[in-house]
């Protein structure tokens, strides 16, 4: 695949007023989400739930793509149509999470590093055959008094860049995701400093590995105080700090930036994105790739009565997509 092809997929992922729905929870993470609302974590429940999300009518009005998990990309609707086929028919670009999750970084208590590079070339080739057009790899950066170490930042960014180069070789758009975790009592200033160090290291590493930025998407956390911090920030403050750190570190050649929700409420995640876009124009589209902030309301509704609430749960996902799609244009108004 040429760089032009990669670029056109990347641009379609961040088309005006559209974002991505992240439904790539690993089996352990979906277990936590299901348990919270009393759903059994069986393969059939996971399949049925992902079908509900992927077949929500008119999803593609505000959703460009969806990130799937290894199990999900192999699954089909109850009528036997592979999810990737349904998605392509409905104008939703299939993406795939390819990292194998974070493990403790030896020698650096509190830091983690994401694994999954071994055998990645072969796995990517299979995902391409299964219909994926983009991939995702998430690095986790913890903040505490002693974390993150510069070693953890470098190790994670090196892995992200190695993954990104392999994706482009395979014809997949790499979504590179450094997530600075919101847990902790750190200030917004500390969050800013960590984001700045991580993004600088990431774009250096991408350069070193010959990754073409034109065919890459950044998925990133927002600059926000820790959840346990006494000083919570106003919407405008989060938006201003996030835009500032991105302008300082992210080259303008990148086709787009999307955010993760990271434990923000639905309302916060939409309000922050909206405020950032109202401060535009920016060098790149700013959109969303939310997991929880796209799904949690729908999951709660579905858990109460899987049959009776099916259509309403789909409408709820759609409503979240619409609000976030408007926020991606800076046109959302709080209710
Ligand atoms: O730990 P896992 O199973 O890889 O899942 C992490 C989740 O974090 C995300 O990267 C972002 O999700 P949130 O918007 O809920 O923070 C999702 O794409 C993914 O499902």
């Amino acid at each position: 695949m040429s760089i032009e092809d990669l670029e056109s997929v990347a641009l379609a992922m961040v088309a005006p007023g559209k974002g991505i729905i992240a439904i790539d929870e690993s089996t352990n993470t979906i277990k936590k989400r299901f348990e919270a609302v009393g759903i059994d974590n069986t393969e059939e429940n996971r399949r049925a739930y992902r079908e509900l999300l992927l077949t929500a009518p008119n999803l593609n009005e505000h959703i460009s793509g969806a990130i799937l998990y290894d199990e999900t990309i192999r699954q089909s609707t109850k009528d036997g149509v592979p999810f990737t086929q349904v998605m392509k028919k409905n104008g939703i670009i299939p993406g795939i999470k390819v990292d194998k999750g974070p493990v403790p970084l030896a020698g650096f208590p509190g830091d983690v590093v994401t694994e999954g590079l071994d055998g990645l070339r072969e796995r990517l080739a299979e995902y391409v055959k299964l219909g994926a057009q983009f991939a995702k790899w998430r690095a986790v950066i913890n903040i505490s008094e002693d974390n993150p170490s510069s070693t953890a930042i470098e190790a994670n960014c090196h892995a992200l860049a190695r993954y990104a180069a392999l994706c482009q070789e395979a014809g997949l758009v790499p979504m590179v995701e450094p997530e600075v975790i919101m847990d902790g009592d750190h200030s917004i200033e500390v969050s800013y400093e960590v984001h700045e160090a991580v993004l600088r290291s990431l774009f250096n590493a991408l350069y070193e590995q010959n990754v073409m930025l034109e065919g890459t998407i950044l998925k990133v956390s927002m600059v926000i105080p820790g959840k346990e911090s006494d000083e919570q920030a106003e919407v405008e403050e989060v938006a201003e700090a996030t835009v500032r750190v991105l302008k300082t570190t992210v080259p303008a050649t990148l086709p787009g930036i999307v955010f993760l929700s990271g434990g923000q409420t639905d309302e916060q995640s939409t309000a922050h994105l909206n405020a950032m876009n109202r401060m535009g124009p920016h060098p790149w589209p700013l959109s969303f790739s939310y997991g929880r902030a796209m799904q949690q309301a729908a999951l709660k509704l579905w858990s109460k009565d899987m049959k009776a609430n099916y259509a309403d749960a789909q409408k709820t996902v759609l409503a979240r997509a619409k609000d976030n799609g408007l926020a991606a244009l800076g046109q959302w108004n709080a209710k």
Side-chain angles (χ1 to χ4, degrees), residues 22 24-26 29 33 67 97 99 136 138 177 179 219 260-263 289-293:
D24 60 316
E25 300 86 359
S26 55
T29 304
R33 310 272 184 267
I67 316 171
K97 184 231 295 291
D99 67 68
K136 195 203 83 163
R138 171 172 168 262
E177 179 185 11
E179 174 173 5
K219 170 165 175 170
L260 57 98
S261 55
S289 171
Y290 296 154
R292 282 163 284 180

Side-chain angles (χ1 to χ4, degrees), residues 20-30 32-33 50 67 69 97 99-102 136-138 140 175 177 179 182 219 259-264 269 289-296:
I20 288 158
I21 181 166
I23 61 166
D24 60 316
E25 300 86 359
S26 55
T27 308
N28 254 336
T29 304
I30 197 76
K32 284 188 221 151
R33 310 272 184 267
R50 266 73 183 248
I67 316 171
Y69 181 57
K97 184 231 295 291
D99 67 68
K100 295 218 162 162
K136 195 203 83 163
W137 177 292
R138 171 172 168 262
V140 173
M175 181 184 264
E177 179 185 11
E179 174 173 5
M182 277 166 63
K219 170 165 175 170
F259 294 97
L260 57 98
S261 55
Q264 298 182 43
S269 67
S289 171
Y290 296 154
R292 282 163 284 180
M294 272 297 302
Q295 301 178 48
Q296 54 207 3

Side-chain angles (χ1 to χ4, degrees), residues 57 67 84 86 97 110 112-113 145 156 181 183 225 252 258 271 298 304:
I67 316 171
T84 49
V86 177
K97 184 231 295 291
V112 292
V113 64
E145 260 185 25
N156 276 292
I181 301 292
D183 296 344
V258 293
K304 288 188 182 141

